[in-house]
Amino acid sequence: MSLGIWLGSLEQGLLWGAMVLGVYITFRVLDYPDLTVDGAFTLGAAVAAHYILLGGNPWVAVVIALFSGAAAGLITGLLHTGLKVAPLLSGILTMIALYSINLRIMGQANLSLLRVKTIFNQVLNIPQLDTFGPVILGLLVTLVVVSLLYLFLQTELGMSVRATGNNEQMIRSLGVNTSTMKLVGLATGNALVALSGGLVAQYQGFADIGMGIGMIVAGLASVIIGEALVGNQTLIRAIIAAIVGSIVYRAVISLVLQLGLPATDLKLLTSLIVVVALSFPLVRQRLGLRSLRLRSEQNAEASQREQNLSSRRG
Amino acid sequence: MLKLVNVNKIFHPGGVNEKVALKEVTLQVQPGEVVTIIGSNGAGKSTLLNVVAGVYGVEGGKVILDNQEISHYPEHFRAAWIGRVFQDPLQGTAASMTLEENLTLALRRGHPRRLRWGITSAERRLFKQNLALLGLGLEERLAARVGLLSGGQRQALTVLMATIATPKLLLLDEHTAALDPRTAATVMDLTEKIIAQHRLTTLMVTHNLEQALRAGSRTIMMHEGKIILDLHGSERERTTVAQLLNMFERASGNSLVNDRVLLS
Ligand SMILES: Nc1ncnc2c1ncn2[C@@H]1O[C@H](COP(=O)(O)OP(=O)(O)OP(=O)(O)O)[C@@H](O)[C@H]1O
Ligand SMILES: [Mg+2]
C-alpha cells in the first residue's frame, strides 16, 4: 500500500476518532445502548456545512456542531429519564426524528463545501504542510478532545457519570441523581459524535443526509478493536484505545477496499466485525459491553452470583 | 433521631401480586442508638431499610429523620444523611473505578457534583489514613481498581465509604452474610469500631442471633411486615439466644429453626 493510503487511514481515524470516543462514552462509560449516534453525526455535519455556507467561520462551525450534538443527546436522555422510554427506543426515536431535522437544516440531501473555506483547505494552502496538513489538524483536534475528556472524566461530575454506568444503585445511595448523570453522559457522548460529523463534512468537502448511517456500528467496531489492542485497564488507556481503534478500523477498511471489495459492502463487513468479536465469550466478558447483551443473560449472571452467595453462607 | 409512624409498604398494590411488606410499622430510634434487626425470610427487614433510604416510597405513614419528614424525598436526596452497606459486596462499590475514586464519590455524599477536580492531595492523605485503619493493606493500593479486590476487602471498603462523610444514620443489611466467617468477623469488628468512634445511629439487619444480642443496644424482631418484639436495656442483657428463639416462636406461632437463622 502506498503512503497516501496509510496517511488517509490515519487522517480518517483521527477525524472519526471523536465519534468513537462518543460511542465509548455512551456504550462503555455510561453503559447506555445509545442509537442517537447515527443521527447526531449527520446533525453535526449538516449544522457545520450550513453555517459555513452562510459565510461562517469553519472553526466556529465545529463548535456549533458540538453543541447541536449535545442537544440531541439531551433529548434522548429526557425521553428515557423523563418519559421512561427504554434506552434503545429513546435513541431510535431521536435518530429517526433527526433524519427529518437534518434534511430541514440542509434544505437538500447533499451540501457541497468544495468552493468555500474549510479548516482543511485553509491548512492545505500553507506551503510545506500540504500533504500532512489534515493529519496535523486531526492530531491537534484529537489531542485537545482527548485531554479535555480525560480531565472531565476525573472531575466530580465526570466520576459520577462513570459511577452511574458502573453501579447505579451504589452511586444513588451516595447521593447522586442518576437521571442527571445520564443526561450529562448522553449530551457529552453525542456532542463528540456531532463534533466528528462537523470535521468529517469539511474533510470530505460535503455533508450528506446518509453519512451517519451505520456510524454506531463503526464506532462499536472501533471501540472493540481498540480495547482488544490497547486494553482498558486505566482510564487513559481506554480513551487512547478508542482513538487507536478508530485508526485501525479505517486502515482495515482501506485495505479491504484495496483488495477489491466494493464500497457498498462495507457496512456488511463492519457488522460482521462486531458480530465476530461479540461471539467470543471471552472478548465479551472482558469488554463488558453489558448494554449490548440480553437482559436474560445478565439476569442469569446475577442469579449465579446469588447462588454463590447463598452457598457460601452455607 | 429516626421515627417511623404507621408506615405501610405494599408492593404491586391492587394487582394479583399484591404484597404487604410493612404493616403499620412504628419505630422510634434515639440518637446514637444501635438497633439490630432480626426476623425470618421475607419478614420485611430489607424493605424497612429501603423505605428509610428512599429506594421505595411508602403507601401510608411517615418517615421522619431529625424532626424532618423525609417520606417524599427521593433516594439520592436522602442519601445526604444516610450511609448504606448492602449484603452483596459487589453492590456497594464501582468495580471499574479505582479505590480512591470510589472513596471520593463517597466523601462527596451530600454535596453537588460539579466540574471540579475530583481528588485533592489532602483527600488522598485522608483516604490513606482511613484505609490503614482497616488493616488490609489497602492504603498502598489507592490507584487499583476495586474490581481487583476480594469480597471481604470490598465490603470493608464499603463500610468505610458509607461512613467517611459522617452520616446521621447508618443502614447495614446483612453486610457480612456473604463473607466467609473470618472475613465476616473482621468486617464486623471494623463496623463496630467505626460506629463507636462516630457514635452513629445505626439500623443493622443480621441473621446471626448471637450477634444481634451482642452488638448494639437494642434488638427488634420482625415477622410478616410487623415489629413483633423490641428488646432493650437490662431485659435484653438477660436474654439468651435460646430465649430469643422461644420468643419468636411464641410471638409468631412459627418455628424459626427451619429458617436460615444462624444459631451460632
Ligand atoms: N421489589 C419488590 N417487589 C415485590 N415484592 C417485594 C419486593 N421487595 C420485597 N418484596 C417482598 O416483600 C417481602 C419482604 O421482603 P424483604 O426483602 O424486606 O424481606 P427480608 O426480611 O429482608 O428477608 P431476607 O431475610 O430474605 O432478606 C417479601 O415477601 C418479598 O417477596
Ligand atoms: Mg433482606
Side-chain angles (χ1 to χ4, degrees), chain A residues 294-308:
Chain A
L294 293 173
R295 286 287 153 213
S296 59
E297 202 178 324
Q298 294 181 19
N299 290 344
E301 209 172 72
S303 66
Q304 181 66 41
R305 218 165 55 213
E306 280 276 297
Q307 265 174 24
N308 292 343

Side-chain angles (χ1 to χ4, degrees), chain B residues 45-47 87 173-174 205 207 260:
Chain B
K45 305 178 297 292
S46 300
T47 306
Q87 178 177 348
D173 192 351
E174 297 191 56
V205 177
H207 265 94
R260 71 182 165 108

Side-chain angles (χ1 to χ4, degrees), chain A residues 127-155:
Chain A
Q128 275 127 38
L129 255 184
D130 41 4
T131 348
F132 295 102
V135 167
I136 291 170
L137 258 188
L139 274 174
L140 274 177
V141 173
T142 306
L143 202 67
V144 171
V145 170
V146 162
S147 317
L148 287 180
L149 187 65
Y150 181 57
L151 291 177
F152 168 69
L153 289 176
Q154 289 181 94
T155 61

Side-chain angles (χ1 to χ4, degrees), chain A residues 36-290:
Chain A
T36 316
V37 173
D38 284 18
F41 188 80
T42 315
L43 176 68
V47 168
H50 186 76
Y51 183 73
I52 291 172
L53 288 172
L54 286 178
N57 178 304
W59 283 107
V60 176
V62 174
V63 175
I64 297 177
L66 180 100
F67 281 106
S68 70
L74 271 184
I75 290 170
T76 300
L78 286 172
L79 287 175
H80 173 62
T81 59
L83 302 180
K84 309 288 172 218
V85 177
L88 269 176
L89 186 60
S90 68
I92 293 174
L93 289 172
T94 312
M95 173 183 80
I96 295 297
L98 279 175
Y99 187 85
S100 300
I101 293 173
N102 291 337
L103 269 176
R104 271 191 183 264
I105 293 171
M106 299 206 292
Q108 60 206 66
N110 190 297
L111 286 181
S112 169
L113 295 174
L114 288 180
R115 262 173 267 287
V116 289
K117 248 206 221 154
T118 67
I119 54 175
F120 292 97
N121 53 31
Q122 275 179 352
V123 282
L124 284 179
N125 292 338
I126 304 172
Q128 275 127 38
L129 255 184
D130 41 4
T131 348
F132 295 102
V135 167
I136 291 170
L137 258 188
L139 274 174
L140 274 177
V141 173
T142 306
L143 202 67
V144 171
V145 170
V146 162
S147 317
L148 287 180
L149 187 65
Y150 181 57
L151 291 177
F152 168 69
L153 289 176
Q154 289 181 94
T155 61
E156 290 175 4
L157 187 66
M159 279 202 260
S160 301
V161 171
R162 287 159 63 203
T164 300
N166 205 223
N167 188 342
E168 207 175 329
Q169 167 69 61
M170 165 255 188
I171 193 64
R172 220 184 294 123
S173 81
L174 292 179
V176 170
N177 185 344
T178 49
S179 296
T180 310
M181 293 309 136
K182 285 181 186 173
L183 292 179
V184 172
L186 286 168
T188 311
N190 284 293
L192 290 174
V193 171
L195 166 83
S196 177
L199 292 171
V200 167
Q202 301 193 42
Y203 174 73
Q204 296 181 331
F206 64 88
D208 184 88
I209 189 66
M211 68 193 283
I213 296 175
M215 208 41 72
I216 183 68
V217 184
L220 275 176
S222 306
V223 168
I224 291 171
I225 293 172
E227 294 198 346
L229 292 178
V230 181
N232 57 1
Q233 287 83 353
T234 59
L235 186 60
I236 189 65
R237 239 181 137 132
I239 292 177
I240 290 172
I243 300 296
V244 171
S246 178
I247 295 167
V248 173
Y249 170 78
R250 295 294 154 186
V252 169
I253 296 291
S254 323
L255 195 71
V256 184
L257 286 177
Q258 280 285 298
L259 295 177
L261 192 84
T264 44
D265 286 345
L266 281 183
K267 304 247 186 283
L268 176 65
L269 178 74
T270 308
S271 279
L272 281 177
I273 293 178
V274 175
V275 169
V276 169
L278 288 182
S279 66
F280 289 107
L282 195 79
V283 175
R284 194 156 44 171
Q285 206 181 14
R286 231 190 80 198
L287 297 180
L289 289 176
R290 273 195 292 156

Side-chain angles (χ1 to χ4, degrees), chain B residues 199-210:
Chain B
R199 297 168 189 275
L200 295 174
T201 313
T202 306
L203 298 184
M204 179 172 97
V205 177
T206 175
H207 265 94
N208 185 323
L209 296 189
E210 198 264 331

